[in-house]
Amino acid sequence: MKRFEETICEAIRSMRLLVVVYGDEERLVQPYVYGEYHAGERLLSAYQVAGGSASGASAGWKFFRMDKVTSVALSDRRFHSPRPEFQRNDGAFARILCQVSD
């Protein structure tokens, strides 16, 4: 998990998409918030734009538990402004390590 933290926070700061392998499925996501859930697990809150999904929904808001992430890589693609429904300081997180700026 620690090994992914720097890459995730860099993507959030620079508003670059991430390629995340989660549950054996590759997903392309816009990362928004990375931090600790109330139970202590690390989570990434992101908007998935493409890729696989256990639920069948290949696009939409998702939480990614970092203990299930096997790979994280920066994409060359960027997103230019936060999605209108994005809310800073998400209450799902006990501690936010990095998040998209307004």
Side-chain angles (χ1 to χ4, degrees):
M1 285 175 279
K2 265 290 207 208
R3 66 181 194 247
F4 299 141
E5 190 170 300
E6 200 172 300
T7 302
I8 291 168
C9 287
E10 170 59 27
I12 288 172
R13 278 190 299 274
S14 61
M15 295 183 83
R16 287 174 58 186
L17 276 72
L18 281 173
V19 178
V20 176
V21 177
Y22 186 79
D24 297 324
E25 301 265 2
E26 188 174 279
R27 301 147 188 258
L28 185 63
V29 303
Q30 297 173 340
Y32 279 86
V33 184
Y34 177 70
E36 291 179 0
Y37 186 62
H38 292 284
E41 301 115 347
R42 294 282 169 105
L43 287 179
L44 170 64
S45 175
Y47 189 88
Q48 183 172 327
V49 295
S53 173
S55 69
S58 62
W61 285 101
K62 305 209 177 170
F63 281 112
F64 296 94
R65 286 182 37 188
M66 294 310 296
D67 61 343
K68 294 187 175 189
V69 171
T70 55
S71 174
V72 170
L74 283 172
S75 166
D76 291 335
R77 293 177 52 191
R78 293 182 183 274
F79 56 109
H80 299 287
S81 60
R83 299 187 80 77
E85 64 275 18
F86 170 63
Q87 295 187 6
R88 290 179 53 77
N89 304 317
D90 189 324
F93 290 89
R95 188 174 84 143
I96 292 175
L97 300 170
C98 50
Q99 68 181 322
V100 165
S101 302
D102 289 335

